[in-house]
Amino acid sequence: MSNIAWLGAQDPFPNPLLSPDPDPSVPGLVAVSERIYPGQLSRAYQMGIFPWYSDNQPVLWWSPNPRMVLKPADFKCHESLKKTIRNFLNDPRKSVEVDHDFAAVVRSCATARRKDQDGTWITHEIMDAYTKLHDEGHAHSIAIVDHGQLIGGLYCVAFGGMVFGESMFSHQTDASKLALAALCAWCTEHAIAMIDCQQETAHLRSLGAAPLSREVFLNHLHNALKQTNIELPWTFNKEILSHWL
């Protein structure tokens, strides 16, 4: 990684459009830092860059090409999920809670078992950094709750009219899909055209996500950051799921 920029606390990120792959042997990796410095995460997202690394590694900053994205209008709400939504809406003991306990959702994402993965990229440093973003109003959680128990959810990052999906978890069938369906419905209501999903997976593709070139993604991000109609705090409940029925 000799051509990769090592960033100090005040160093700017390289522009992914101008120097997209400084080391072709590691496509999408644009910079490295010893830690996540204050303010660095916010600057990164607004340039279409995100951290992804493991414990005992330096912080690796990525801008992949292509970029997996989900257009909220393209979310695939299959008949089985519609049935789950109907049952969910009709049960007063079940709820969607937005930004109620951000730390609990992140911890659940970090400890969720995932097929073909050992461990998690959600380190303690990641938890602390995203919690700080949450405190600043730029990171959000959507929790699916049943009888007072957290059974699924997701957390994401938002700047302007751009939402960046980070991680989901599910302790019951379709619980994470309920959270994503709620997010997509809310994004549709607020004219948010795209949710960043970062990297391609078969699961995301099954839900309607598709790859997009880095150039097109970054140009969309540049324009979406100017969108100002999103009010804080985020306030919606499970009734938003009726959008899909």
Side-chain angles (χ1 to χ4, degrees), residues 133-144:
L133 266 192
H134 171 68
D135 293 341
E136 294 169 355
H138 291 298
H140 303 276
S141 62
I142 299 175
I144 306 301

Side-chain angles (χ1 to χ4, degrees), residues 80-243:
S80 60
L81 182 56
K82 289 182 180 180
K83 181 179 179 181
T84 299
I85 289 173
R86 291 188 186 97
N87 292 335
F88 188 83
L89 290 174
N90 289 330
D91 191 335
R93 298 164 297 182
K94 297 179 179 180
S95 62
V96 172
E97 297 182 356
V98 181
D99 290 341
H100 176 68
D101 191 342
F102 181 84
V105 172
V106 175
R107 284 195 304 271
S108 295
C109 289
T111 57
R113 292 181 178 272
R114 304 183 193 278
K115 185 179 179 181
D116 301 327
Q117 288 187 21
D118 294 324
T120 178
W121 65 274
I122 305 175
T123 65
H124 289 293
E125 182 179 33
I126 285 285
M127 291 184 197
D128 291 343
Y130 283 84
T131 299
K132 181 70 163 55
L133 266 192
H134 171 68
D135 293 341
E136 294 169 355
H138 291 298
H140 303 276
S141 62
I142 299 175
I144 306 301
V145 177
D146 184 358
H147 288 72
Q149 298 297 312
L150 182 60
I151 63 168
L154 62 80
Y155 73 98
C156 59
V157 171
F159 285 93
M162 189 70 209
V163 171
F164 308 82
E166 288 304 313
S167 187
M168 301 189 294
F169 79 98
S170 187
H171 295 324
Q172 289 186 17
T173 301
D174 285 346
S176 61
K177 291 180 183 178
L178 286 173
L180 183 57
L183 177 60
C184 286
W186 181 86
C187 286
T188 300
E189 287 187 358
H190 289 81
I192 293 174
M194 187 182 297
I195 300 171
D196 174 36
C197 300
Q198 298 177 350
Q199 300 189 30
E200 185 170 359
T201 68
H203 178 63
L204 288 169
R205 186 181 288 276
S206 73
L207 295 173
L212 193 68
S213 75
R214 176 165 42 204
E215 181 178 3
V216 172
F217 172 79
L218 292 176
N219 285 332
H220 173 83
L221 171 62
H222 175 75
N223 292 320
L225 290 174
K226 302 173 185 176
Q227 188 173 335
T228 59
N229 68 318
I230 312 301
E231 295 182 2
L232 292 175
W234 284 15
T235 53
F236 59 90
N237 56 37
K238 71 178 185 178
E239 296 304 323
I240 202 166
L241 288 166
S242 62
H243 172 89

